């Protein structure tokens, strides 16, 4: 309960911009927990009962973040955590090739479609987060 109040205090003015809180039906969320958000006019939305896949997308992103970055980086304070998360967000949204797009990154128009002569192009690696994550592109 104290953690919820601390979160509200840390968010400060941004807390007023929140409209919804999506949470599961775990027993650890008490009525007092919900009351803190309801006092700020935040609507509590609960996930469907007995729907284990409902949080799959969030769990996929959080799990990937943990495995790809947080298991390899020591985060000592909030400022460092924000920098690490911002760097990973740029990588994830800008360079990481999703399977749904046939392994093409979001900026696929900047890359040639196919390379048949591997000696004709040079690949350049950019290290992100000190080499924990690597991005590859063709040299100009």
């Amino acid at each position: 309960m104290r953690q919820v109040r601390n979160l509200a205090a840390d968010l400060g003015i941004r807390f007023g911009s929140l409209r919804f809180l999506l949470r599961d039906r775990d027993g650890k969320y008490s009525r007092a927990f919900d009351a803190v958000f309801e006092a700020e006019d935040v609507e509590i939305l609960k996930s469907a009962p007995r729907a284990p896949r409902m949080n799959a997308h969030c769990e996929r992103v959080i799990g990937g973040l943990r495995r790809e970055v947080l298991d390899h980086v020591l985060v000592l304070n909030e400022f460092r955590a924000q920098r690490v998360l911002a760097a990973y967000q740029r990588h994830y949204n800008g360079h990481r090739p999703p399977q749904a797009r046939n392994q093409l990154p979001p900026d696929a128009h900047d890359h040639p479609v196919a390379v048949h002569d591997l000696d004709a192009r040079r690949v350049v690696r950019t290290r992100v987060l000190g080499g924990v994550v690597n991005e590859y592109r063709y040299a100009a």
Side-chain angles (χ1 to χ4, degrees), residues 113-124:
V113 175
V115 176
H116 299 290
D117 182 11
L118 296 179
D119 295 328
R121 297 275 184 179
R122 203 181 81 168
V123 176
V124 176

Side-chain angles (χ1 to χ4, degrees), residues 19-133:
R19 294 178 42 208
F20 304 101
L21 171 69
L22 177 61
R23 69 171 185 83
D24 59 18
R25 295 174 178 270
D26 196 318
K28 66 184 169 193
Y29 301 114
S30 65
R31 182 72 192 127
F33 177 89
D34 290 346
V36 171
F37 290 96
E38 289 169 349
E40 297 292 331
D41 293 326
V42 175
E43 184 178 347
I44 307 290
L45 302 174
K46 296 178 184 175
S47 61
R50 297 183 182 178
R53 294 187 203 172
M54 192 159 192
N55 294 328
H57 295 287
C58 291
E59 290 179 14
R60 166 66 177 93
V61 171
I62 291 167
L65 173 65
R66 192 196 78 242
R67 283 186 302 278
E68 294 176 27
V69 177
L70 297 177
D71 284 352
H72 307 283
V73 175
L74 182 60
V75 178
L76 298 174
N77 56 37
E78 182 179 352
F79 178 74
R80 175 72 173 146
Q82 289 175 349
R83 289 189 61 198
V84 167
L85 294 175
Y88 185 73
Q89 179 183 11
R90 282 190 302 276
H91 165 73
Y92 191 89
N93 292 330
H95 297 281
R96 193 169 188 264
Q99 286 183 339
R101 295 184 45 129
N102 295 323
Q103 298 298 331
L104 293 174
D107 62 348
H109 60 280
D110 294 341
H111 300 286
V113 175
V115 176
H116 299 290
D117 182 11
L118 296 179
D119 295 328
R121 297 275 184 179
R122 203 181 81 168
V123 176
V124 176
R125 176 179 68 175
T126 303
R127 293 177 180 217
V128 178
L129 295 170
V132 171
V133 177

